[in-house]
Every structure is written in C-alpha cells, then in structure tokens.
Amino acid sequence: MTLALGAVMVLGCGHPPAQTTQTVAATRTEPGITLVNQKRLSPRLSELTFTSSALDGTTKVRILLPRGYDAEKRRRYPVLYLYHGGGQSASSWTQDGAAEEITAGLPAIVVMPDAGSTQWYADWWNNGHCGRPMWETFHINRLLPWVDEHYRTIPERGARADAGLSMGGFGAVSYAARHPDLFGAVGSLSGDLDHQNVEMRTTIEPRLEY
C-alpha cells in the first residue's frame, strides 16, 4: 500500500494517534446525507459516520486534512478521493499509518469513503429493481457536495482528483469517465478497467452480489 500511494503522493512523516469521539446532532443535513458521528483518530485524521437515502444503514468516511489546515483559516485546498479495493473498507488506507505518512507534506484534503466490500462503485442493479445500495449516487451526488460544503476545498474540476486500488481503481476511472466535469485527474493502481477481459471476469463474477 505504501508503494501504491507513493505513485500519487510525496513521502513524509506522520503523527502519533490521539482518539477523541464527537457525536453530532443530526442537524447538518443536505439532501440525502446526514452526518451522525465524528471521531478524531489523530491530529490529521478523522472518521465520519453518515446515513444516506442512497444506502442502507450507516457508512464511514475517513478524511485526512493537510498540515496547517486548522491554523490557515482562509486557505483552500484541492481534494483527492481515494477508493479502497475489494474486501476492504474506508479504514484500509490508514490502518497501518501509510496514508498519513505519505501525505504528510501534501497540501490537499484526502477523502477515503467506504464503498461496500464487493459492490464495484455502482448503483445496484438488484435484478432489475435497482435501488439501494447506490454507491455512485452516494459518492458523487451526496458525499462530494457535502465535502465541498463543510471543508475548505477548491470546488473546481482542476482541483479535484480521484484514485483507487484494484476495485477502487475501477471505481476511480469509471467515475471520472462518467463525470468528466468533476475530476481533472484520475489514477488507477492495479485496477480492473476491462470487465470484458475473460481472466478478469473469471475472477470477478463469483464475487458479485447483484
């Protein structure tokens, strides 16, 4: 994971963990998304818990802020959306501290959302009935505007990128392809970009949960 992240970021130093928990009253509500809990895991890293009309139950998002974010109140930052691989979760990029260390000198906000274990960053087919879970709707139409509203982002295509590992690499490229107005750069780390490839279909189809 350290080498993979190193493809898009600069090596640096991390911080020791310091955990605090804050329960947030359900008053910060945009259409279809509500923040219900926020936990500070380290000086730069927080874990947010949301409910959304696009999903069943709650979902977690981890956010890494750049150094100096709290002190420089007027500065705005670009955003990197970083998507996890199959069988992983919102915590995967930061479980061993790699993401914090590698982004220590990166002047950007890094958003690491959950996307389901093997649900492929898609609005679900559900045998033709569609409906929840709708991961693309959540990430693109719910979470992205929420982040721009609640953090000092530069809310422009040229200051927004997405990248991902494996299943998340597919998600990053497919989101950027379908929403070229939102992402100015995209990165795929060992991503499956061709579902018509016979070897990839043999690997993926037994794991699908349509």
Side-chain angles (χ1 to χ4, degrees):
M1 184 178 297
T2 300
L3 293 177
L5 272 172
V8 292
M9 299 172 194
V10 181
L11 284 171
C13 299
H15 297 275
Q19 296 193 17
T20 59
T21 302
Q22 176 185 0
T23 300
V24 180
T27 54
R28 297 187 201 173
T29 305
E30 283 65 38
I33 183 170
T34 303
L35 176 66
V36 296
N37 192 63
Q38 182 170 340
K39 180 189 295 184
R40 177 66 69 89
L41 302 179
S42 78
R44 293 178 52 225
L45 179 65
S46 293
E47 182 177 84
L48 281 58
T49 303
F50 292 96
T51 58
S52 174
S53 59
L55 304 173
D56 293 313
T58 60
T59 189
K60 296 185 183 300
V61 177
R62 288 196 171 186
I63 295 183
L64 270 171
L65 296 177
R67 285 181 171 174
Y69 180 88
D70 292 332
E72 301 180 58
K73 299 296 186 183
R74 295 185 179 181
R75 184 174 179 180
R76 290 188 169 272
Y77 297 88
V79 183
L80 170 65
Y81 286 85
L82 194 55
Y83 304 130
H84 66 74
Q88 298 182 334
S89 70
S91 65
S92 296
W93 288 105
T94 54
Q95 280 181 335
D96 58 2
E100 284 192 81
E101 293 177 8
I102 292 170
T103 63
L106 186 72
I109 298 168
V110 183
V111 180
M112 299 159 283
D114 197 7
S117 178
T118 55
Q119 295 177 341
W120 286 93
Y121 294 84
D123 284 359
W124 222 227
W125 173 244
N126 287 326
N127 295 315
H129 298 290
C130 299
R132 298 187 296 266
M134 298 185 288
W135 287 109
E136 182 173 2
T137 292
F138 175 71
H139 292 144
I140 300 300
N141 299 330
R142 305 287 194 270
L143 180 62
L144 189 152
W146 191 96
V147 169
D148 283 344
E149 178 69 22
H150 291 79
Y151 290 91
R152 297 195 312 275
T153 69
I154 302 172
E156 301 171 359
R157 176 183 183 272
R160 188 184 296 119
D162 69 347
L165 172 68
S166 189
M167 183 182 78
F170 166 81
V173 172
S174 61
Y175 284 178
R178 289 196 293 275
H179 306 279
D181 57 318
L182 295 179
F183 299 101
V186 59
S188 176
L189 310 174
S190 302
D192 166 30
L193 306 184
D194 182 9
H195 282 190
Q196 300 306 310
N197 180 283
V198 174
E199 291 183 2
M200 290 308 305
R201 292 184 65 176
T202 301
T203 301
I204 292 168
E205 288 182 355
R207 296 177 171 83
L208 292 179
E209 301 174 358
Y210 293 106

